[in-house]
Amino acid sequence: MFHLFHSTNTAEVKKLNKDHSTMDCIALKVVIEHRSEKLTLSSGIPSTVEGLHETVKDTFGIIDDFTLHYLDENFEAVLKNANEEFGKNGTLLNNPRIKSEILEKLADYMYGYTAYPTGLQIGEVAEALVKKHPCLTEPGSRNGWIGWMYSLKYKMGNYRSKLRSLGFPDVTCNSLKNKHHEDRAPAKNIKKARKGEVSFLPHYPAGDSREQQELDRQLLIAESQKKDCTAIKNLMCKTFAHRRQDIISLQMSIKDIMDRWPALFDVLQVSAEFQRITTRNLEPKFMSMLDLYSPKLLSLFQAKKGAAGERHRAHMSILLQSGVSIQQKREVIIRCLIDHLGEDASSLIKDFENAANAPIDVQEELADEVMKIYVLRNEDVSVNEPTDVGIVIEGITVLSSLGDPSRACCYLLGLTYALDLRYPKNLKYSFEFFQKVLLELDPGNLSNKVQRLKNYLCT
């Protein structure tokens, strides 16, 4: 089996058919990005690696340079035989070359999920490896796989270095020369997927370039002014890689992002961007899960004792009125939920009453806020429905006319993904619940507080 790597494509070449009676014709399977092609070599595999390199390059029109790596085609057979020997007489496999190939292959697969796996994830991979192939058990370690974990950790570091030299964006963004001066330390401010992102920092599409996507970005601004929804949708999808470079690699401010990507600051485009990053449908998933858990959450809040229970019941009193909308019910649940998790709802949601003779300038009032949801109501209107609900980030109103605070929470979470923002420390449990329980992104790693709440909701 062969692996091909270069800056925009990762290709795997695998022998499909080999007639041992004649070496003239060889069929190879070539996998480039997400497409699979068949390569037939009528005269057999070229006698040199350089010859195979040129053949693959010419056949599939690969312009950029890449590296060709050879892996033993009998690799799986060796492990199978070694496992059988272990089952018979307990003989362990002790072959440095096989171990090196195993580590290389595991690093390749792990990179497909994340370029920066956690220590827990690496340990789980090492444990699964020894469980599947007991012939690889380490007789001197306490659990049989701790040495594999450390070896795999260092292999991932070497693997990232190799990909960095080939220009892979999700690792080159963390090279010292691409960091800010104050962050130029290997382990400081690592840019990586932290919230269950599937597509964190993608490559530019094959045949496309930064220069071309910059032209597309300028065209997108022109189409945004025309409000051509179809053109905006297509160009936003096409320029995804370029936009992620701006947001993650260049770490632009919110003001600069709004200037360069004004089309992003729209609920439809936030939803589309969130889906590109996570594959989840933002608002339908968030609201359906919130509604699913609503009965148990309300029951929990109603039964709460002490000062917190008093605050919950004060919020819930509006639900005793007739004609309460689903939006009002969701708002009550969101406010009580934040309080139940030991956090202050006013740290996230700021209420304003707008007098007819003295209208409030929300952006001026929230100019110093890093992340806030505002709810604007008219004080002379008996109806409790807000006149405007929006989101302010870094003192700038990024979304408005969202209807109700629960929807604003949903889109604020979407913006943290689209703009690669960290959750506020004083609201970490609330955002953890939004992400891991409601949207089910990275749901297996919960804090004790959120885990207890989820256990209650799932019983």
Side-chain angles (χ1 to χ4, degrees), residues 239-396:
T239 56
F240 177 56
H242 193 43
R243 188 162 53 257
R244 296 300 284 177
Q245 287 285 342
D246 279 359
I247 291 169
I248 296 170
S249 297
L250 301 182
Q251 294 185 303
M252 291 184 172
S253 67
I254 298 300
K255 183 179 184 304
D256 289 340
I257 296 172
M258 289 192 77
D259 289 341
R260 282 180 59 81
W261 302 97
L264 177 59
F265 296 89
D266 172 82
V267 290
L268 293 178
Q269 295 309 321
V270 171
S271 295
E273 193 83 344
F274 184 82
Q275 187 167 19
R276 282 187 281 268
I277 295 169
T278 68
T279 74
R280 291 281 200 279
N281 289 318
L282 177 58
E283 187 174 354
K285 179 68 174 178
F286 187 98
M287 296 304 177
S288 64
M289 295 299 288
L290 182 61
D291 293 342
L292 175 67
Y293 292 135
S294 288
K296 283 210 163 187
L297 285 170
L298 289 172
S299 176
L300 177 66
F301 303 150
Q302 183 65 40
K304 189 77 172 179
K305 305 296 184 182
E310 293 293 331
R311 291 193 300 271
H312 292 172
R313 283 184 283 279
H315 285 304
M316 294 169 65
S317 62
I318 191 176
L319 301 181
L320 300 176
Q321 302 174 12
S322 61
V324 176
S325 67
I326 185 65
Q327 289 79 15
Q328 289 174 307
K329 181 180 177 182
R330 288 169 177 166
E331 177 182 351
V332 169
I333 292 171
I334 289 289
R335 291 179 186 267
C336 291
L337 172 67
I338 296 171
D339 193 1
H340 178 80
L341 291 171
E343 296 169 341
D344 185 1
S346 65
S347 296
L348 178 63
I349 304 171
K350 178 70 173 177
D351 292 286
F352 294 98
E353 287 192 351
N354 200 8
N357 59 348
I360 291 175
D361 186 336
V362 171
Q363 186 147 318
E364 181 179 338
E365 292 286 333
L366 301 178
D368 296 328
E369 296 290 346
V370 176
M371 188 181 291
K372 206 82 165 183
I373 291 170
Y374 68 84
V375 180
L376 187 61
R377 292 182 170 92
N378 288 332
E379 65 177 8
D380 57 346
V381 177
S382 58
V383 180
N384 198 42
E385 296 289 343
T387 57
D388 188 23
V389 178
I391 298 170
V392 171
I393 300 176
E394 294 181 7
I396 300 172

Side-chain angles (χ1 to χ4, degrees), residues 123-138:
E124 289 174 344
V125 171
E127 183 179 9
L129 172 69
V130 172
K131 186 176 181 180
K132 182 176 181 180
H133 300 293
C135 65
L136 300 175
T137 301
E138 297 167 327

Side-chain angles (χ1 to χ4, degrees), residues 340 446-458:
H340 178 80
L446 297 174
S447 64
N448 290 335
K449 184 176 288 190
V450 175
Q451 183 69 67
R452 286 195 299 270
L453 178 55
K454 184 178 180 182
N455 290 344
Y456 168 78
L457 295 174
C458 294

Side-chain angles (χ1 to χ4, degrees), residues 100-199:
S100 178
E101 289 191 12
I102 289 172
L103 292 171
E104 185 76 23
K105 194 169 185 179
L106 285 175
D108 188 23
Y109 280 120
M110 290 178 69
Y111 175 77
Y113 291 94
T114 174
Y116 296 90
T118 64
L120 177 63
Q121 290 170 327
I122 293 174
E124 289 174 344
V125 171
E127 183 179 9
L129 172 69
V130 172
K131 186 176 181 180
K132 182 176 181 180
H133 300 293
C135 65
L136 300 175
T137 301
E138 297 167 327
S141 68
R142 67 177 185 270
N143 51 25
W145 49 263
I146 192 72
W148 280 104
M149 183 184 75
Y150 288 125
S151 296
L152 187 54
K153 177 182 177 181
Y154 290 117
K155 171 56 73 173
M156 281 301 298
N158 294 335
Y159 194 75
R160 286 193 295 267
S161 296
K162 179 174 69 174
L163 297 183
R164 191 176 296 118
S165 68
L166 298 171
F168 279 56
D170 50 354
V171 288
T172 55
C173 68
N174 290 313
S175 63
L176 295 183
K177 68 178 181 180
N178 289 330
K179 286 188 173 185
H180 292 299
H181 179 72
E182 62 273 14
D183 292 334
R184 286 184 180 171
K188 188 174 182 182
N189 194 22
I190 296 294
K191 305 180 188 76
K192 61 180 180 180
R194 291 183 171 88
K195 300 177 291 189
E197 295 97 331
V198 175
S199 184

